[in-house]
Amino acid sequence: GDSVTQMEGPVTLSEEAFLTINCTYTATGYPSLFWYVQYPGEGLQLLLKATKADDKGSNKGFEATYRKETTSFHLEKGSVQVSDSAVYFCALSDVGSQGNLIFGKGTKLSVKP
Amino acid sequence: EAQVTQNPRYLITVTGKKLTVTCSQNMNHEYMSWYRQDPGLGLRQIYYSMNVEVTDKGDVPEGYKVSRKEKRNFPLILESPSPNQTSLYFCATRPSGRAEAFFGQGTRLTVV
């Protein structure tokens, strides 16, 4: 079945450092891809999405590009802030299962001042 | 304001005592689902519903029940909770034809 693999955490960075969180997927069709963010004590919020190959999703300084050839959707940010500390989940929408979301295991990011 | 509301937010209960976690949405979304989040395992889907009176199992349905009698509500029922159901639970909704989901704030359940 479809699956998502993202880099293990935790990731600890200093403020203003460059962030990359790797995400690769396995899918039989052409899924939509997402990054969700979970701030401490809160539910998941959609951070960005891409619905087809070569699409770039962006929001709040974060970016990710849907790479069909490498089946990847890596999350990047040029300069992280303390307020970016959260758990980040990569996910795909499984076209073969009513559009259900399949999540990676999450990557915890801590940004130090 | 568009909301997915779960209750309770926190619950400690004993093994075998039936409980219900409620989920309500005000966005008129057809699709609703339940996930559990466990350390090192990410989010796993328990049940989902494509519309009223239509429910189906997700990846980890054992020990759970759901019902969808109204569009806005999708309660999660644990008939006889066990300690391995201690987890963080999320309800999510999405509209037809769209892939992105909207999540509730979560319910932290502890079964002792």
Side-chain angles (χ1 to χ4, degrees), chain A residues 8 31-34 36 38 41-46 49 51 87 89 92-94 96-106, chain B residues 9-10 31 33 35 37-38 40-45 48 50 56-59 88 90 94 98-106:
Chain A
E8 301 273 335
S32 295
L33 301 174
F34 307 89
Y36 281 84
Q38 184 181 30
E42 298 185 12
L44 279 74
Q45 303 173 25
L46 179 65
K49 67 176 182 179
T51 56
V87 181
F89 291 92
L92 66 80
S93 177
D94 182 357
S97 180
Q98 314 293 348
N100 292 331
L101 284 170
I102 296 171
F103 287 89
K105 294 183 179 180
Chain B
R9 291 288 311 277
Y10 302 92
Y31 177 99
S33 63
Y35 293 84
Q37 182 182 6
D38 300 290
L41 297 176
L43 278 86
R44 295 176 292 167
Q45 191 177 55
Y48 65 97
M50 299 297 290
D56 211 343
K57 295 178 181 178
D59 296 319
L88 180 57
F90 288 102
R94 65 174 170 82
R98 300 283 298 275
E100 61 265 34
F102 299 83
F103 284 79
Q105 294 286 82

Side-chain angles (χ1 to χ4, degrees), chain B residues 79-94:
Chain B
E79 295 267 2
S80 183
S82 62
N84 66 11
Q85 292 178 297
T86 292
S87 188
L88 180 57
Y89 292 87
F90 288 102
C91 178
T93 77
R94 65 174 170 82

Side-chain angles (χ1 to χ4, degrees), chain A residues 23 25 27-35 48-57 63-74 91-93 95:
Chain A
C23 171
Y25 68 90
T28 52
Y30 301 96
S32 295
L33 301 174
F34 307 89
W35 278 100
L48 54 84
K49 67 176 182 179
T51 56
K52 61 183 187 299
D54 300 325
D55 266 3
K56 177 185 280 189
E63 292 183 340
T65 301
Y66 190 143
R67 302 282 188 205
K68 184 167 169 287
E69 63 276 11
T70 54
T71 62
S72 65
F73 192 56
H74 305 321
L92 66 80
S93 177
V95 296

Side-chain angles (χ1 to χ4, degrees), chain B residues 19-73:
Chain B
L19 66 92
T20 299
V21 183
T22 64
C23 175
S24 181
Q25 52 108 351
N26 64 359
M27 294 175 280
N28 203 36
H29 289 172
E30 289 78 15
Y31 177 99
M32 298 184 76
S33 63
W34 278 102
Y35 293 84
R36 60 179 288 174
Q37 182 182 6
D38 300 290
L41 297 176
L43 278 86
R44 295 176 292 167
Q45 191 177 55
I46 303 170
Y47 268 95
Y48 65 97
S49 170
M50 299 297 290
N51 214 325
V52 175
E53 302 291 2
V54 180
T55 63
D56 211 343
K57 295 178 181 178
D59 296 319
V60 288
E62 294 77 22
Y64 304 95
K65 285 176 56 178
V66 292
S67 69
R68 188 89 183 276
K69 292 184 170 51
E70 310 166 272
K71 197 172 190 179
R72 63 182 290 123
N73 295 323

